[in-house]
Amino acid sequence: MMAPGRRGRIARRTAVIATVVAISLFMEVSGYLATPVDLRPELSWTTVHAMVPLVFAACAGVAWAIGPNPVPSRLMIVFVLFWIPQAFYPVIETLGWLWPILRGVDLGWAVVAGILVLVYPRGGLGDRFDRVIATTALVATVVNFFTVLALAGPDSVPCDCVPNPYRLAEAPTVFAIVDIGYRFVGVALAIAIAIRLLLRWVRGSVPARAVAFLMPVALLSWVSTLATQMIHYATGTPPNLALDTVSLIAMASVPVCFVAGIAHARNMRARVADLMRITREGADRGLWAESLARTLRDDSVRVFWWDEERGRYVDAAGRPIDSAEEGRGHSILPVASPSGLPIALIRHDRVLTDNMRLLDGVSSALRLSVDNGRLRSEIERTLDQVRQSRQRIVEAGDEARRRIERDLHDGAQQHLVAVGMQLRIAANAARASGDDAVAGELEQSIGTLNQGLKELRELAHGIHPSLLSQGGLALALPELAGRCPVPVDIAVQPEGRLAELVESTAYFAVAESLANVAKHSKATRAWVRAYVEGDELVLTIRDNGVGGASLDRGTGMLGIVDRIDAVGGSVGLASPPGAGTTVTIRMPAHLEVSEALPGSGAGLLVAAEPGVEPPDAAAAPDPSNTVAPGVVGSPADR
Amino acid sequence: MVERTEERPLRVAIADDALLLREGIAKVLEGGGIEVVASVGTADELLATIDDLDLDAAVLDIRMPPTHRDEGIVALERIRQDGSEIGILLLSMYATPEYALRVMGAGSGTGYLLKERVSEPQTLVRAVQTVASGGSVVDPEVVEQLVQRTRADDPLARLTERERSVLELMAQGYSNGGIAQTLFLGLKTVETHVRSILQKLDLEESPEHHRRVLAVLTLLGQR
């Protein structure tokens, strides 16, 4: 479905094109018919002559449809109107008010064609040169027009025309000078345009080269024929039919080249989409610059990246660029993020400046990709910081537990034991002196104290099991299993000692899991396995209970899940109702406690991948036949 | 085991990083007629002088500087490696069966007691005397923990209540005579119980006393 506005626009354009085509054909056909038979040009030549405006009109339609702006199409339409055949004058020979006007603008088509070439491909005048050419052409045209109006006699047109009503004086010499001079200026301008176009094409590694070469070729052939015609006209020799035909074909090729150029630019814009794809997928700087060059068909493209640390632009290899100024044939396109931070400079062929939309697309892609990259590395950095800080919090917690346990062990517990000893000495003394009542009191105190000591021992053990720091999981897990009221088969395959954080996390995870087994599972038996698989410590805690457990039931298990998460591990739970519960915990066996952040990787799109740890040299674990060191016999299944 | 005359008191060294306890232990032992010839803060200090002291026994804290882990047990293993058979009694704030097994595994004349036993002078003195004479001592709390461990197909279920009591004392290092005395039983009755227990638990009668303790503890730990 087309929008109504668009449909109306298309209808209007179609009407305009049909109208000018009709006018053009009318002039051509009526002129041909009005010319006496013996003076008529060859039919084939007239046909080719009539074809030229048709080609322009058709190209106007195409340019309207695909072009970036309507100026070229309008110029093409105006060209069609100015394409007035010489043969048309006999038709209007009786209209004294009209023929001098037409005679005044009968080279308008050449001016329009020149401007058309000039605005290629952007549809606007670019630099001073363009404006000078255009101004000169227009001034010359106006001067010529008024000179023709004021001085032209009927002899200046191929007809038996009525006198020119605007004629002010008979000055055939002045008229001839202006008339021929005008053509001379026109040819000179056309040559200048052609040479400029040619130079631009030759010098630049022109992106549009592939198609744009048609334009100068067409223009050159047309200019050369125009020049020949002009010479013929000036010298009064009859025109060469073959040369005239070539000239017509060259003229007709101008709009075709123009439309082809636009289509090519459009195609390049489509390739910006490829650039976007690369942007999305992420690529490094070198690849990006390479695909940019491919997209723009400009091998001379250089991308200089903003280096935030150094506050200057650097090339892909990181070398600082002293100056990235616009040089010969090159333009600089600065690209900045929406917040105004510089991102990069793209040094490209100046010709690309003609294609602002393409460059817009490119800089959008670049902006997007850099923003993506920045965002991504920022998120990864933040995530990494969060992960590390979480790990540090857990480590700090562990450290605090260890310290409390040690303080209890070295402080309160020792003192209480000493108190017990002193009470005993006092009690013995009391008994020796026959004070049995005091002795009894003291002995009772010793009993209470010892009960308190036992509780304190349990408390300290719960805060941090000394056996864990002393003997690792191989000692601590069997001891833990022994405390569980549900019989536990335990198999620990210790890979020597692991990081303290890993050991304590594993210990408390098993402790909490076994507590859940004891509290909720109604199991009669449980199995605990601990082994190292590759780089991972794997713990499984299985029971034959009622199942139906969930990780988010009970804060104890949630805390464990958080702890395991903090060290980069995972917890799996399989607990179908009635079929027991299996908790599977995996965590890195070798944690590196590093405060340093990974390389900040200011690079485009390149987010630093976290370093892969070297694979553990440990052989594949076989937890069924392992022996805990320092333990007589095996704590494993019998 | 060191040959000694009845007149000569036991010569004992103490290693514990807590000065208060070190002094208390010395007091308790001296109260029991034991001569404390050295009192040091680390296992290394003890090892450095042990050859010159002509010791009958040493009392060591398990957790001492520098690592506060198992220095005492490491020292015990070193002493045994060096061929010395003096009695070694290890003290610990925790009753850890795994450590008790490791201590028993080091050979005869070893003991493992909770530190709070210093408030029971007889227990401590008797433990030192036992290890000095080549016997074994395991803290009752360790045995209690081991016995309380719940295992499927528990072999202890095959024992009678009386046999269980005898087993616990066996695990603590009591000799048959000691068991008979503690439980007020005849020696013959205890020997019958012991044979029955060993048979039911599939353990071999061992001529060496400490091997029996070790076997019983291991069995308890393995259940």
Side-chain angles (χ1 to χ4, degrees):
Chain A
M1 278 283 288
M2 285 183 203
R6 192 173 168 209
R7 200 185 292 168
R9 210 157 57 233
I10 289 174
R12 225 165 31 243
R13 287 169 182 176
T14 311
V16 169
I17 290 172
T19 309
V20 295
V21 164
I23 291 172
S24 178
L25 284 179
F26 166 75
M27 290 195 292
E28 199 74 59
V29 172
S30 61
Y32 183 78
L33 296 176
T35 311
V37 177
D38 53 330
L39 291 178
R40 280 178 189 172
E42 283 194 29
L43 185 59
S44 60
W45 187 88
T46 305
T47 310
V48 173
H49 191 267
M51 287 304 290
V52 173
L54 296 190
V55 170
F56 266 80
C59 288
V62 176
W64 253 331
I66 67 169
N69 74 43
V71 172
S73 336
R74 285 176 191 158
L75 286 171
M76 290 178 198
I77 295 295
V78 173
F79 177 94
V80 174
L81 290 176
F82 281 148
W83 192 249
I84 304 157
Q86 296 287 303
F88 187 55
Y89 290 105
V91 179
I92 52 167
E93 60 190 2
T94 54
L95 302 175
W97 64 270
L98 180 60
W99 73 256
I101 293 176
L102 289 192
R103 176 66 179 79
V105 297
D106 73 346
L107 279 177
W109 59 270
V111 177
V112 172
I115 291 174
L116 184 61
V117 171
L118 218 51
V119 302
Y120 175 81
R122 265 177 309 170
L125 297 175
D127 52 15
R128 219 162 63 92
F129 177 89
D130 289 351
R131 283 194 293 277
V132 168
I133 298 262
T135 312
T136 311
L138 284 177
V139 168
T141 302
V142 170
V143 168
N144 177 65
F145 178 73
F146 286 109
T147 309
V148 169
L149 273 196
L151 303 177
D155 55 333
S156 66
V157 286
C159 65
D160 297 324
C161 290
V162 292
N164 172 6
Y166 313 110
R167 198 172 190 185
L168 300 177
E170 274 195 63
T173 319
V174 178
F175 176 75
I177 289 172
V178 171
D179 198 29
I180 292 170
Y182 176 57
R183 282 153 206 267
F184 189 78
V185 168
V187 169
L189 290 181
I191 289 173
I193 295 170
I195 288 174
R196 179 159 190 272
L197 217 58
L198 200 63
L199 280 181
R200 200 195 273 180
W201 180 76
V202 168
R203 214 166 37 195
S205 45
V206 182
R209 215 169 185 176
V211 166
F213 84 100
L214 287 172
M215 193 56 128
V217 167
L219 194 66
L220 270 190
S221 57
W222 168 67
V223 166
S224 56
T225 50
L226 200 67
T228 329
Q229 269 186 315
M230 195 269 295
I231 292 163
H232 284 309
Y233 184 83
T235 55
T237 47
N240 180 311
L241 187 66
L243 211 59
D244 265 5
T245 311
V246 169
S247 166
L248 290 180
I249 292 170
M251 194 69 249
S253 71
V254 170
V256 173
C257 291
F258 197 104
V259 170
I262 293 174
H264 176 72
R266 211 170 122 93
N267 186 25
M268 286 214 290
R269 279 203 296 281
R271 281 204 304 274
V272 174
D274 289 349
L275 213 55
M276 291 290 194
R277 191 175 49 75
I278 292 172
T279 298
R280 203 185 53 230
E281 288 171 1
D284 64 18
R285 291 177 164 191
L287 190 59
W288 208 89
E290 208 175 280
S291 48
L292 180 63
R294 211 166 44 238
T295 301
L296 298 179
R297 296 260 163 101
D298 180 4
D299 287 341
S300 70
V301 161
R302 294 286 176 276
V303 184
F304 305 121
W305 307 94
W306 180 251
D307 185 334
E308 273 174 57
E309 272 175 42
R310 283 188 275 186
R312 63 198 304 185
Y313 289 96
V314 298
D315 65 11
R319 284 186 296 269
I321 299 308
D322 292 329
S323 62
E325 284 159 14
E326 311 223 343
R328 275 188 40 182
H330 281 113
S331 295
I332 298 289
L333 176 72
V335 183
S337 75
S339 53
L341 278 174
I343 293 172
L345 292 179
I346 301 174
R347 196 189 68 167
H348 59 86
D349 195 289
R350 178 165 282 176
V351 175
L352 284 175
T353 315
D354 295 347
N355 208 327
M356 282 318 291
R357 280 198 181 186
L358 183 62
L359 289 177
D360 275 354
V362 166
S363 44
S364 294
L366 188 59
R367 204 171 295 136
L368 208 65
S369 73
V370 170
D371 273 358
N372 271 354
R374 273 189 186 152
L375 222 58
R376 197 155 64 182
S377 59
E378 201 170 300
I379 286 173
E380 277 177 14
R381 230 181 356 245
T382 311
L383 258 180
D384 205 61
Q385 280 169 356
V386 169
R387 213 172 48 229
Q388 289 202 11
S389 79
R390 220 159 58 141
Q391 188 177 320
R392 278 199 299 273
I393 289 169
V394 173
E395 277 172 334
D398 273 4
E399 185 50 43
R401 280 166 167 263
R402 257 195 298 279
R403 207 176 46 240
I404 291 170
E405 189 272 339
R406 189 159 155 201
D407 287 350
L408 282 176
H409 178 271
D410 294 346
Q413 281 177 305
Q414 306 272 16
H415 281 107
L416 290 177
V417 166
V419 166
M421 199 172 60
Q422 283 155 357
L423 283 176
R424 172 65 64 192
I425 291 166
N428 286 354
R431 208 169 280 289
S433 64
D435 200 341
D436 283 353
V438 173
E441 290 287 328
L442 289 172
E443 276 157 10
Q444 208 176 335
S445 306
I446 294 170
T448 314
L449 182 68
N450 281 349
Q451 189 55 39
L453 263 173
K454 191 170 179 173
E455 281 168 19
L456 188 57
R457 202 161 56 221
E458 290 298 313
L459 178 67
H461 185 277
I463 289 170
H464 183 84
S466 60
L467 194 60
L468 181 62
S469 18
Q470 290 162 25
L473 292 176
L475 282 188
L477 287 187
E479 196 256 4
L480 193 56
R483 291 164 170 264
C484 184
V486 178
V488 180
D489 276 358
I490 184 147
V492 182
Q493 180 247 334
E495 203 55 48
R497 292 298 298 272
L498 306 172
E500 277 186 341
L501 184 59
V502 175
E503 286 186 340
S504 60
T505 302
Y507 180 88
F508 287 116
V510 173
E512 185 61 35
S513 302
L514 285 180
N516 285 341
V517 169
K519 265 187 272 177
H520 309 298
S521 76
K522 301 191 175 72
T524 59
R525 200 152 179 200
W527 295 263
V528 173
R529 290 172 71 188
Y531 55 93
V532 173
E533 188 177 76
D535 276 346
E536 280 185 326
L537 171 65
V538 185
L539 303 163
T540 60
I541 301 98
R542 185 162 64 88
D543 67 55
N544 62 354
V546 294
S550 81
L551 282 180
D552 48 4
R553 191 182 297 166
T555 51
M557 206 57 211
L558 268 186
I560 293 303
V561 171
D562 281 351
R563 271 194 76 121
I564 292 165
D565 235 24
V567 299
S570 64
V571 182
L573 180 90
S575 188
T581 299
T582 304
V583 178
T584 306
I585 295 161
R586 293 175 169 271
M587 62 180 109
H590 307 284
L591 272 185
E592 271 187 36
V593 185
S594 109
E595 305 289 275
L597 296 178
S600 58
L604 165 77
L605 310 175
V606 194
E609 290 291 324
V612 179
E613 294 203 328
D616 197 42
D622 182 5
S624 63
N625 58 359
T626 53
V627 176
V631 176
V632 181
S634 166
D637 314 40
R638 274 180 298 139
Chain B
M1 211 186 322
V2 183
E3 286 298 324
R4 59 191 175 88
T5 60
E6 285 301 317
E7 305 85 54
R8 189 193 146 196
L10 290 175
R11 290 171 63 80
V12 170
I14 303 168
D16 192 321
D17 55 323
L19 183 65
L20 202 59
L21 279 181
R22 216 157 69 205
E23 287 175 348
I25 292 166
K27 215 176 211 174
V28 167
L29 293 182
E30 277 163 357
I34 295 168
E35 189 185 348
V36 176
V37 296
S39 179
V40 294
T42 65
D44 287 342
E45 286 173 75
L46 178 67
L47 290 175
T49 53
I50 197 163
D51 289 339
D52 309 326
L53 292 174
D54 186 24
L55 293 177
D56 295 309
V59 178
L60 280 84
D61 184 12
I62 288 188
R63 231 166 108 170
M64 281 186 287
T67 67
H68 294 276
R69 287 188 171 175
D70 53 358
E71 277 77 7
I73 300 181
V74 171
L76 159 69
E77 285 160 352
R78 181 90 61 78
I79 290 166
R80 287 290 180 263
Q81 257 175 25
D82 293 345
S84 167
E85 288 185 3
I86 62 167
I88 304 283
L89 179 65
L90 287 152
L91 296 182
S92 169
M93 204 58 94
Y94 299 103
T96 311
E98 280 70 22
Y99 280 170
L101 280 163
R102 202 171 144 198
V103 169
M104 287 301 116
S108 60
T110 53
Y112 179 94
L113 273 192
L114 272 178
K115 272 195 177 174
E116 64 198 55
R117 302 299 171 213
V118 295
S119 64
E120 301 163 23
Q122 299 89 340
T123 309
L124 190 62
V125 170
R126 201 168 51 226
V128 171
Q129 286 166 346
T130 307
V131 296
S133 62
S136 305
V137 176
V138 175
D139 197 281
E141 176 136 346
V142 171
V143 177
E144 189 190 322
Q145 270 192 32
L146 284 173
V147 170
Q148 277 175 359
R149 285 192 179 179
T150 42
R151 293 290 155 106
D153 311 324
D154 196 338
L156 297 195
R158 283 172 250 160
L159 303 183
T160 66
E161 205 164 316
R162 176 62 80 185
E163 285 169 346
R164 250 176 116 116
S165 310
V166 173
L167 179 80
E168 285 176 26
L169 291 175
M170 284 166 76
Q172 287 176 35
Y174 281 75
S175 64
N176 289 358
I179 296 171
Q181 226 178 345
T182 310
L183 296 180
F184 305 107
L185 294 173
L187 186 59
K188 292 267 181 217
T189 319
V190 171
E191 281 169 357
T192 312
H193 282 312
V194 169
R195 260 198 309 279
S196 165
I197 291 166
L198 294 178
Q199 204 182 354
K200 283 184 179 175
L201 299 185
D202 216 8
L203 296 174
E204 273 180 42
E205 178 82 71
S206 169
E208 275 189 74
H209 177 69
H210 101 270
R211 284 203 187 279
R212 181 173 94 175
V213 181
L214 185 57
V216 172
L217 281 179
T218 304
L219 175 112
L220 291 175
Q222 275 185 353
R223 280 180 308 129

